[in-house]
């Protein structure tokens, strides 16, 4: 039976989970696109994690085994080859390192790309996060993406997300005006955020990195994903309340994430 609950930064369990990230200071390794790398690294640093990004030398076959958590942003294929992404996923899976998949632009019409991203599911990510169009398409539904942008609301993807999570045994999280995170039997809604998250390049990509850190820190993929999304939502709200343009909002988002620890002292 499917259950739906709600979570936010006001929940003690969420704040405790956030404190665990800084308390454990996880090393988080990832492959992402060169557009999103800077923000992803800064978001991790703001949370108290230590990032490393890229497919340099033999990093793809060593770092995933030594890291505490890993994330793969599918758009890393802009600068890394398919075998690099497979090597990271394969190595993380073999080592038991929790990893997060962000299926950027799946469902936008590039069928060969979509097939490759689906092939990474073989390596059992701990969580998959993306927008509604991406996740509906990855789950086998109608492809509706417009480039990297969604054409449907997160609420429209709840059923697909829940079914996909149950089928794969993986936490699936969809971002939107309200975020929904599901393990197939339990779905948690996380309201909040700011519309300017959709106007800052790499904001969603960085959330994938943060989710990886939170999953390791909490030791629970569902709870970790909820913690990351709830923290991101409140930081975006606070950043939005004190800024006007998208550029200063992006900087304020990192600032507010770095200040969340003051709420849990």
């Amino acid at each position: 039976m499917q259950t739906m609950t709600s979570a936010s930064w006001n929940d003690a369990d969420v704040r405790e989970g956030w404190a665990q990230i800084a308390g454990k200071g996880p090393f988080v390794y990832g492959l992402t696109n060169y557009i999103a790398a800077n923000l992803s690294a800064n978001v991790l640093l703001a949370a108290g994690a230590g990032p490393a990004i890229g497919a340099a030398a033999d990093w793809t076959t060593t770092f995933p085994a030594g890291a505490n958590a890993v994330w793969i942003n599918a758009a890393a294929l802009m600068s890394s080859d398919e075998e690099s992404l497979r090597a990271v996923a394969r190595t993380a899976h073999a080592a038991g390192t929790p990893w997060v998949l962000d299926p950027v632009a799946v469902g936008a019409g590039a069928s060969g790309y979509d097939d490759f991203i689906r092939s990474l599911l073989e390596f059992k990510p701990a969580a998959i996060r993306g927008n509604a169009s991406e996740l509906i398409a990855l789950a086998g539904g109608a492809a509706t993406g417009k480039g990297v942008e969604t054409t449907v609301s997160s609420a429209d993807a709840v059923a697909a997300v829940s079914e996909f999570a149950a089928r794969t045994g993986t936490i699936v999280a969809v971002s939107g005006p309200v975020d929904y995170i599901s393990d197939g039997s339990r779905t948690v809604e996380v309201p909040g955020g700011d519309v300017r998250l959709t106007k800052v390049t790499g904001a969603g990509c960085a959330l994938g990195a943060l989710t990886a850190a939170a999953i390791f820190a909490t030791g629970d993929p569902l709870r970790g994903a909820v913690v990351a999304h709830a923290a991101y939502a409140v930081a975006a709200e606070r950043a939005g309340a004190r800024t006007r343009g998208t550029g200063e909002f992006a900087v304020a988002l990192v600032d507010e994430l770095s200040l969340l620890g003051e709420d849990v002292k």
Side-chain angles (χ1 to χ4, degrees):
M1 181 178 178
Q2 178 67 229
T3 62
M4 176 78 78
T5 58
S6 183
S8 76
W9 180 249
N10 293 326
D11 298 337
D13 187 62
V14 169
R15 296 189 184 203
E16 179 186 358
W18 181 259
Q20 288 177 305
I21 301 176
K24 295 184 178 181
F27 166 38
V28 185
Y29 172 63
L31 294 184
T32 190
N33 62 83
Y34 53 78
I35 298 169
N38 183 71
L39 183 57
S40 296
N42 284 336
V43 163
L44 285 170
L45 289 166
I53 298 173
D58 58 353
W59 286 13
T60 60
T61 55
T62 55
F63 280 11
N68 299 120
V70 167
W71 90 100
I72 297 176
N73 180 292
L77 288 169
M78 294 165 63
S79 54
S80 299
D81 59 20
E82 291 183 358
E83 181 48 37
S84 292
L85 271 66
R86 287 188 67 82
V88 170
R90 184 189 309 115
T91 304
H93 177 56
T97 306
W99 71 279
V100 173
L101 174 65
D102 188 333
V104 176
V106 165
S111 59
Y113 170 84
D114 290 359
D115 289 344
F116 171 71
I117 302 310
R118 288 191 182 95
S119 77
L120 296 178
L121 298 178
E122 168 190 354
F123 302 111
K124 305 296 183 182
I128 304 167
R129 69 138 313 273
N131 66 39
S133 289
E134 293 163 348
L135 293 175
I136 290 172
L138 189 65
T144 62
K146 185 178 181 182
V148 299
E149 303 300 331
T150 188
T151 60
V152 293
S153 169
S154 56
D156 298 324
V158 173
V161 161
S162 176
E163 185 279 330
F164 191 37
R167 174 157 44 96
T168 59
T170 296
I171 301 303
V172 183
V174 58
S175 298
V178 176
D179 298 342
Y180 297 92
I181 302 102
S182 183
D183 67 0
S185 61
R186 298 169 293 170
T187 298
V188 182
E189 61 175 8
V190 179
D194 188 283
V195 69
R196 279 170 288 181
L197 285 171
T198 65
K199 303 299 182 182
V200 173
T201 300
C205 304
L207 180 54
L210 184 60
T211 298
I215 287 174
F216 166 75
T218 62
D220 180 334
L222 179 62
R223 182 182 175 218
V226 169
V227 166
H229 284 72
Y232 217 62
V234 74
E237 288 175 351
R238 293 177 180 182
R242 64 181 178 87
T243 59
R244 294 180 61 197
T246 56
E248 62 176 346
F249 170 78
V251 174
L253 174 65
V254 176
D255 286 344
E256 293 297 339
L257 284 167
S258 74
L259 296 171
L260 287 181
E262 296 183 359
D263 289 6
V264 295
K265 288 180 178 178

